[in-house]
Amino acid sequence: SSAASDVYKRQAVMMLGHLGWKEAASLIEDALESCFAEGRATADLARFMPGGVSLSTSAFTQEIVERIERYGR
């Protein structure tokens, strides 16, 4: 994953961890990591990924939500 995607993950995980929401932090981190591993991200990140697929912000958010729903079951 790119340095920018690592920053996004750290920020989300740190904030939720600080709030005591460790399960939520883990679900988000897993969802982001799987998207980034597949090269799926918003344009600002996808351009740095080999074979990156540029998604709109809403499409990327929808993918994250769907993955969280799958992992949380």
Side-chain angles (χ1 to χ4, degrees):
S1 60
S2 72
S5 65
D6 289 341
V7 169
Y8 284 173
K9 286 188 302 189
R10 272 196 310 273
Q11 289 175 343
V13 170
M14 285 174 54
M15 178 188 67
L16 292 171
H18 177 74
L19 295 172
W21 297 357
K22 294 183 187 333
E23 182 180 359
S26 178
L27 288 169
I28 290 172
E29 184 174 31
D30 291 348
L32 286 169
E33 187 60 39
S34 69
C35 278
F36 296 151
E38 294 174 15
R40 301 180 66 75
T42 53
D44 59 323
L45 299 177
R47 65 189 173 134
F48 297 110
M49 299 173 177
V53 176
S54 179
L55 302 172
S56 68
T57 303
S58 59
F60 181 67
T61 300
Q62 185 60 41
E63 285 211 20
I64 296 298
V65 169
E66 289 171 1
R67 290 167 195 252
I68 288 170
E69 289 173 342
R70 269 196 311 253
Y71 300 154
R73 292 178 189 216

